[in-house]
């Protein structure tokens, strides 16, 4: 089976929420900005500026820890209406080049520009023009990855952040993948990374040396996916207006409880189960929802959306803990708890039934 000769772009805005805040509030420019909860709360970091990242701050970190790392940081509450307006501006730019746009979140999307409205032969030119228009119209920067499939385009967009452009041609794919640390592979979470390293898999080159039989034995159905991406094979199309899915777990308690520590233990278990499902499906999500049903059967939900993907049990638990504080749990008895990750960053990966072991050179040369 030969990979279609496609031209795929992945656009990822740079520190999106924080950059919007710095643009709209000039006094924040050049400052370490943290978008999320208050530093004296149990809130978490949604995103932060590059100035804050130099101190080791990152998304899903507790705001209290972020403050300890950088006491001079400026903490601001998210303004999702503002981010959505800018996101719509950016998508209009995308649609001026192609109708095959698959948004992953407010700040990133895949574009299939194999044929495009600008009639440009080079996807690199299209990506350059898009990033230029984004800067001109929104005064924000974006990074872009260009390749012949979604897997490579997404990884490439993260290589030269901020305001970078990386192209991975079919001829470059093998060496590009071979050098990638296994943690950079989308769909390889912390648990899988640990298991892979125990098997001697540290890079893409190590992963490619393992047969499909070995990968299936150790990773089940996901083995085919790992086998394919190690060879630069990703047949997923760019799907416009795709249906959002969610992954979640909930449990009805044997008896009503008011003890917060008990609730956190239960939420921790649910987080582990949802995190394992995300890893098994090779996906992540942008929004976490905590569901609480009180003893009188009243149900409430609290949600939090990240700029970057929620993909591990640790991410889920941190956010769920802060959301629990926004309910009456503890003051009121609770009979059910649930956590759900939604706005998934990928469709659930469907593996091919047959083995595909193509040389990288099997793709006809195309101009990216």
């Amino acid at each position: 089976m030969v990979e279609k000769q496609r031209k795929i772009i992945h656009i990822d805005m740079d520190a999106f929420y924080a950059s919007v805040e710095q643009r709209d509030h000039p006094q924040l420019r050049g400052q370490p900005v943290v978008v999320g909860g208050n530093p004296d709360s149990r809130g978490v970091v949604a995103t932060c500026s590059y100035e804050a990242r130099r101190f080791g701050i990152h998304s899903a970190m507790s705001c209290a820890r972020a403050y300890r790392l950088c006491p001079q940081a400026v903490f601001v509450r998210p303004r999702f209406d503002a981010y959505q307006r800018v996101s719509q501006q950016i998508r209009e730019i995308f649609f001026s080049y192609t109708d095959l746009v698959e948004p992953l979140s407010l700040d990133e999307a895949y574009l299939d520009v194999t044929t495009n409205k600008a009639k440009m032969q080079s996807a690199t030119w299209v990506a350059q023009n898009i990033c230029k228009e984004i800067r001109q119209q929104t005064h924000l920067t974006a990074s872009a990855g260009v390749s012949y499939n979604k897997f490579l385009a997404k990884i490439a967009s993260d290589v030269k952040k901020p305001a970078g452009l990386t192209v991975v041609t079919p001829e470059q794919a093998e060496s590009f993948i071979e050098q990638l640390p296994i943690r950079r592979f989308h769909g390889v979470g912390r648990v899988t990374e640990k298991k892979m390293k125990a098997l001697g898999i540290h890079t893409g080159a190590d992963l490619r040396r393992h047969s499909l039989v070995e990968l299936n034995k150790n990773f089940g159905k996901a083995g085919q996916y790992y086998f394919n991406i190690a060879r630069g094979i990703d047949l997923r199309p760019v799907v416009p207006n795709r249906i959002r899915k969610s992954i979640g777990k909930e449990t009805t308690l044997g008896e009503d409880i008011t003890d917060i520590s008990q609730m956190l233990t239960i939420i921790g278990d649910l987080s582990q189960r949802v995190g394992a499902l995300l890893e098994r499906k090779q996906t992540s999500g942008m929004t976490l929802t905590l569901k609480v049903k009180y003893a009188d059967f009243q149900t409430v939900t609290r949600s939090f959306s990240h700029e970057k993907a929620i993909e591990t049990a640790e991410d889920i638990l941190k956010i769920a803990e802060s959301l629990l504080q926004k309910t009456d749990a503890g003051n009121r008895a609770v009979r059910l708890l649930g956590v759900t990750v939604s706005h998934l960053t990928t469709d659930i990966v469907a593996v091919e039934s047959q083995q595909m072991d193509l040389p990288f050179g099997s793709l006809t040369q195309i101009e990216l």
Side-chain angles (χ1 to χ4, degrees):
M1 183 180 294
V2 177
E3 171 86 76
K4 290 182 180 178
Q5 298 175 25
R6 296 180 294 160
K7 301 179 183 182
I8 308 298
I9 300 173
H10 179 259
I11 299 285
D12 191 6
M13 298 300 294
D14 299 320
F16 183 49
Y17 296 176
S19 295
V20 172
E21 296 300 335
Q22 289 178 316
R23 181 198 68 176
D24 293 351
H25 303 97
Q27 70 273 20
L28 297 179
R29 294 172 190 171
Q31 299 295 315
V33 175
V34 176
V35 179
N38 296 321
D40 58 353
S41 72
R42 298 190 66 156
V44 295
V45 175
T47 190
C48 60
S49 67
Y50 285 97
E51 294 86 354
R53 295 180 190 190
R54 297 190 188 108
F55 292 87
I57 300 173
H58 56 78
S59 63
M61 173 183 287
S62 72
C63 289
R65 175 162 170 72
Y67 177 77
R68 291 195 296 270
L69 289 172
C70 183
Q72 67 270 36
V74 181
F75 288 78
V76 299
R77 301 292 295 176
R79 295 183 299 134
F80 288 107
D81 287 348
Y83 310 148
Q84 287 169 347
R85 285 194 298 271
V86 178
S87 180
Q88 186 57 43
Q89 275 185 280
I90 295 165
R91 289 185 189 180
E92 287 173 3
I93 295 172
F94 295 160
F95 283 115
S96 71
Y97 286 89
T98 178
D99 290 327
L100 294 177
V101 177
E102 181 180 341
L104 300 181
S105 62
L106 293 178
D107 70 322
E108 63 176 321
Y110 289 114
L111 292 76
D112 187 328
V113 296
T114 309
T115 57
N116 58 82
K117 297 176 183 179
K119 301 188 184 305
M120 292 183 178
Q121 293 299 310
S122 168
T124 304
W125 295 348
V126 176
Q128 289 172 335
N129 280 21
I130 288 174
C131 291
K132 181 180 178 181
E133 288 192 38
I134 288 173
R135 185 189 288 268
Q136 289 174 341
Q137 294 187 31
T138 70
H139 305 289
L140 301 171
T141 64
S143 294
V146 180
S147 196
Y148 60 89
N149 65 37
K150 293 166 78 172
F151 168 71
L152 288 167
K154 183 171 176 63
I155 293 177
S157 68
D158 197 43
V159 171
K160 297 178 182 176
K161 274 188 161 290
L165 171 63
T166 300
V167 181
V168 181
T169 67
E171 296 76 24
Q172 297 167 335
E174 182 172 8
S175 59
F176 181 81
I177 292 171
E178 282 183 348
Q179 297 170 32
L180 277 178
I182 202 66
R183 66 178 178 276
R184 295 282 305 280
F185 282 67
H186 188 69
V188 177
R190 294 177 190 175
V191 175
T192 299
E193 180 188 3
K194 184 177 179 180
K195 186 173 182 179
M196 284 190 174
K197 287 184 173 179
L199 294 169
I201 303 174
H202 299 272
T203 66
D206 297 330
L207 181 59
R208 193 164 190 263
R209 281 192 285 269
H210 283 66
S211 70
L212 179 60
V213 172
E214 291 175 307
L215 293 175
N216 282 340
K217 177 183 176 182
N218 288 290
F219 302 102
K221 292 182 180 179
Q224 178 78 67
Y225 171 73
Y226 299 137
F227 181 88
N228 290 347
I229 60 175
R231 290 157 177 76
I233 300 169
D234 180 2
L235 304 181
R236 292 173 300 157
V238 172
V239 182
N241 302 317
R242 61 190 179 87
I243 298 172
R244 296 289 186 180
K245 304 182 182 74
S246 63
I247 291 177
K249 289 289 182 183
E250 62 181 43
T251 184
T252 299
L253 311 179
E255 58 183 29
D256 302 340
I257 61 173
T258 55
D259 188 333
I260 291 292
S261 64
Q262 279 185 273
M263 295 180 203
L264 293 177
T265 298
I266 294 164
I267 290 172
D269 177 66
L270 293 171
S271 299
Q272 290 290 338
R273 291 161 64 190
V274 173
L277 280 171
L278 291 173
E279 184 169 342
R280 191 157 71 244
K281 301 295 186 182
Q282 294 101 46
T283 192
S284 53
M286 309 309 297
T287 301
L288 180 76
T289 300
L290 174 71
K291 178 179 178 181
V292 177
K293 183 181 287 187
Y294 300 119
D296 62 2
F297 289 87
Q298 180 189 3
T299 300
V300 298
T301 59
R302 298 290 183 266
S303 297
F304 184 82
S305 294
H306 260 300
E307 179 193 26
K308 296 302 178 186
I310 301 163
E311 59 184 6
T312 68
E314 290 84 357
D315 296 340
I316 296 167
L317 180 57
K318 286 179 184 176
I319 300 168
E321 284 181 342
S322 68
L323 293 176
L324 188 65
Q325 304 302 310
K326 299 178 181 179
T327 72
D328 291 330
N331 294 325
R332 297 173 64 180
V334 170
R335 72 183 317 268
L336 177 146
L337 291 165
V339 292
T340 299
V341 175
S342 58
H343 293 163
L344 301 187
T345 56
T346 65
D347 290 321
I348 306 256
V349 177
V351 297
E352 298 294 320
S353 59
Q354 72 267 39
Q355 177 170 335
M356 293 183 290
D357 192 0
L358 305 173
F360 286 90
S362 63
L363 282 165
T364 303
Q365 185 171 350
I366 56 175
E367 180 185 9
L368 290 172

